[in-house]
């Protein structure tokens, strides 16, 4: 075993034998806050981030570094929205091997979200159910946090949503407010219209409501670009719980809107094949059970758009095979969330090493050559 592999094995064992048992004895949301606070505080301790990069960081290599949306991504594996809701731990997450990250979902005005308990583990399925309800501190606090960052080693996307009390017919104003407040501090934006935990939010994915919302979003992005002298990308995050016909119309509307790309997918309300007692809890399910459906959505989007609309694949990625399946289905980048909880921060090194091996196996010189390979 090479020295680097021994280090990875040791780090993995440490998490599985020490870290994970401690976290999994805690209330899930309390464990979540402990992680965020620890990563936030690590940035204040001299040498801590350097130590974390040494333990969990991944080197930038030519075959995996990606340029997309006018942004350089040192690795194709990012952190999905929902973990760092208020941009508290950007520097910490940047040090453990991610190539980019989403912060949020943020709403114009801070809100407490749904009542606790609202986060549940399903260990046999390696899944989570959450009904957090866009709990966050609002755009003003996120703006201050992002402005205060001394350095930003990886691209940061701001995931934006509407306040719970905002009716759907006025939702576009909330998205406009988020863009206006955070435009100077986001590398790109993600429009969240697919969380199952805000009443009626998913209705914004369909028909005239989707078209009108995306028109407002792209108009606001254009206005901010003129104001600040720099254009930025905006993506749409879609749900997996749609029919084939709904998905077809949704993709068509998104493509015509002029947005930069989409993220497939958000969490699911399906409980098919789930037997754990927590399956009865309402909310969005993430983790391994979502892998096949989210990959199918990636594939359908790629096929319908002819690969012209960039996709970030998200949902159920635990292994390098999961990540590579999404890339070959059409994803240019991928995101993880639940796997970080179950596998620990060593997962980034595992995915990074595994993707390089699979690219070499299949004769690809760069990850972009593998994007959509299953359709050729």
């Amino acid at each position: 075993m090479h020295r680097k592999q021994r280090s990875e094995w040791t780090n993995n064992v440490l998490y599985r034998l020490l870290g994970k048992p401690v976290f999994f004895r805690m209330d899930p949301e309390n464990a979540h806050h402990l992680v965020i606070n620890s990563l936030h505080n690590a940035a204040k301790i001299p040498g801590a981030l350097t130590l974390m990069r040494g333990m969990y960081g991944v080197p930038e290599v030519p075959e995996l570094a990606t340029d997309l949306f006018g942004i350089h991504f040192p690795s194709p594996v990012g952190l999905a929205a929902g973990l760092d809701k208020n941009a508290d731990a950007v520097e910490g997450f940047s040090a453990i091997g991610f190539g980019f990250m989403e912060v949020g979902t943020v709403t114009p005005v801070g809100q407490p979200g749904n009542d606790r308990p609202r986060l549940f583990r399903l260990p046999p399925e390696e899944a989570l159910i959450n009904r957090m309800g866009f709990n966050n501190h609002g755009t003003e606090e996120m703006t201050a946090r992002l402005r205060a960052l001394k350095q930003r080693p990886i691209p940061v996307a701001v995931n934006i949503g509407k306040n719970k009390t905002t009716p759907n017919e006025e939702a576009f104003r909330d998205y406009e407010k988020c863009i206006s407040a955070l435009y100077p501090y986001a590398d790109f934006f993600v429009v969240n219209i697919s969380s199952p935990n805000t009443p009626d939010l998913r209705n914004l994915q369909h028909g005239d409501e989707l078209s009108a919302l995306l028109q407002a979003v792209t108009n606001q992005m254009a206005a901010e670009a003129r104001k600040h002298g720099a254009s930025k990308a905006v993506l749409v995050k879609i749900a997996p719980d749609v029919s084939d016909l709904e998905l077809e119309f949704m993709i068509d509307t998104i493509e015509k809107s002029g947005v930069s790309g989409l993220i497939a997918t958000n969490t699911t309300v399906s409980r098919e094949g789930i037997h754990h007692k927590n399956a009865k809890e309402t909310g969005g399910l993430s983790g391994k059970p979502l892998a096949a459906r989210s990959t199918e959505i990636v594939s359908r989007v790629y096929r319908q758009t002819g690969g012209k609309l960039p996709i970030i694949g998200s949902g159920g990625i635990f292994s390098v095979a999961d990540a590579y399946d999404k890339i070959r289905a059409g994803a240019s980048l991928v995101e993880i969330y639940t796997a970080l909880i179950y596998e620990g921060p060593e997962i980034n090194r595992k995915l990074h090493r595994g993707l390089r091996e699979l690219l070499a196996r299949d004769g690809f010189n760069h990850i972009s050559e593998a994007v959509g390979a299953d359709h050729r």
Side-chain angles (χ1 to χ4, degrees), residues 199-257:
D200 300 323
L201 181 72
R202 286 190 171 192
N203 292 338
L204 295 173
Q205 293 185 119
H206 307 294
D208 292 340
E209 286 191 275
L210 177 59
S211 181
L213 173 62
L214 295 185
Q215 184 66 63
V217 164
T218 53
N219 286 347
Q220 188 66 39
M221 291 293 293
E224 296 298 330
R226 290 190 297 270
K227 178 180 176 181
H228 296 281
S231 296
K232 296 187 178 183
V234 60
L235 284 70
V236 180
K237 190 166 189 176
I238 63 174
D241 308 310
V242 290
S243 68
D244 291 348
L245 187 59
E246 286 173 331
L247 180 61
E248 182 180 336
F249 281 121
M250 189 190 307
I251 296 168
D252 185 57
T253 301
I254 291 171
E255 189 173 24
K256 288 177 178 176
S257 73

Side-chain angles (χ1 to χ4, degrees), residues 7 21 42 62 68 73 81 101 106 136 142 183 199-200 208 210 235 238 240 257 262 277 280 298 309 324 353 370:
S7 173
L68 195 65
F73 296 86
M101 66 180 291
V106 65
N136 74 102
M142 182 175 284
Y183 194 87
D200 300 323
D208 292 340
L210 177 59
L235 284 70
I238 63 174
S257 73
L262 57 76
K277 63 179 182 178
K280 69 180 187 300
V298 169
L309 190 67
Y324 200 52
R353 182 182 66 252

Side-chain angles (χ1 to χ4, degrees), residues 171-187:
F172 72 95
R173 300 191 190 281
D174 280 7
Y175 291 93
E176 289 174 341
K177 290 174 184 176
C178 289
I179 292 168
S180 178
L182 287 153
Y183 194 87
Y185 311 104
D187 290 302

Side-chain angles (χ1 to χ4, degrees), residues 282-348:
T282 59
L285 180 133
S286 63
K288 279 191 174 181
L290 185 55
R293 178 58 176 166
S294 60
T295 301
E296 180 186 1
I297 299 285
V298 169
S299 184
R300 287 175 178 269
V301 172
Y302 187 91
R303 189 163 59 244
Q304 185 173 328
T305 63
K308 295 177 182 177
L309 190 67
I311 305 163
I312 298 178
S314 181
I317 295 173
F318 273 67
S319 68
V320 65
D322 298 329
Y324 200 52
D325 283 349
K326 283 183 169 52
I327 291 165
R328 291 186 61 100
S332 296
L333 303 168
V334 295
E335 292 179 338
I336 65 172
Y337 177 137
T338 306
L340 183 64
I341 308 300
Y342 280 92
E343 299 288 316
E346 190 59 42
I347 189 171
N348 279 323

